[in-house]
């Protein structure tokens, strides 16, 4: 609960290619969109952006981020599909609730995430 206001500096974070964790959570008024080149952070294991005002789509490039273990994008204003995330093999926790995602989910989703313990897609 930092109360940070303004745009999350994703473009600057893309230069920190050794990052393993990004945590900008529970700010309420921090905003931005995930950059298309977020996959440049190939060592990223935790992406925690819960409870902000982040908008836009999940970038297609995230489908290549096989180091990701935890994705917390809940309580934002994301739209579109979650398909870039459905085949990431190391996922353990996925919180995508309380956004504006849409589309059909079938039994192939998250099949390769053998260690998945928590999945929340509610209220979309």
């Amino acid at each position: 609960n930092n109360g940070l206001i303004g745009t999350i500096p994703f473009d600057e974070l893309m230069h920190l290619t050794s990052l393993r964790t990004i945590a900008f959570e529970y700010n309420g008024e921090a905003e931005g969109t995930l950059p298309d080149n977020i996959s440049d952070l190939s060592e990223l294991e935790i992406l925690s952006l819960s409870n902000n005002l982040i908008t836009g789509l999940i970038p297609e490039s995230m489908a290549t981020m096989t180091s990701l273990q935890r994705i917390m994008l809940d309580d934002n204003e994301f739209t579109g599909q979650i398909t870039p995330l459905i085949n990431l093999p190391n996922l353990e926790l996925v919180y995508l609730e309380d956004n504006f995602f849409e589309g059909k989910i079938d039994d192939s989703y998250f099949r390769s995430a053998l260690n998945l313990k928590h999945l929340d897609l509610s209220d979309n």
Side-chain angles (χ1 to χ4, degrees), residues 3-121:
L4 295 177
I5 298 172
T7 302
I8 297 173
F10 289 115
D11 289 338
E12 286 76 20
L13 293 174
M14 294 304 103
H15 302 289
L16 305 173
T17 56
S18 296
L19 273 179
R20 294 188 187 270
T21 301
I22 294 177
F24 280 90
E25 54 205 13
Y26 297 100
N27 291 299
E29 294 189 39
E31 56 188 35
T33 58
L34 293 178
D36 290 334
N37 65 333
I38 192 166
S39 61
D40 290 351
L41 301 177
S42 60
E43 296 183 36
L44 195 66
E45 296 173 352
I46 300 170
L47 180 59
S48 183
L49 302 172
S50 301
N51 201 356
N52 287 293
L53 295 174
I54 301 170
T55 60
L57 305 173
I58 293 176
E60 291 294 327
S61 67
M62 286 187 72
T64 65
M65 298 180 72
T66 57
S67 294
L68 275 173
Q69 298 171 11
R70 296 173 180 225
I71 300 172
M72 285 99 36
L73 303 178
D74 52 297
D75 296 299
N76 278 289
E77 297 182 9
F78 285 100
T79 57
Q81 305 277 324
I82 64 169
T83 50
L85 308 177
I86 64 170
N87 288 314
L88 296 175
N90 292 309
L91 288 178
E92 298 172 359
L93 181 140
V94 177
Y95 291 160
L96 300 175
E97 73 271 17
D98 295 316
N99 281 287
F100 300 98
F101 293 117
E102 58 188 21
K104 184 176 181 179
I105 297 176
D106 64 44
D107 61 356
S108 68
Y109 278 36
F110 302 105
R111 183 176 286 167
S112 62
L114 300 178
N115 294 318
L116 188 62
K117 294 174 181 61
H118 301 277
L119 173 64
D120 194 341
L121 302 173

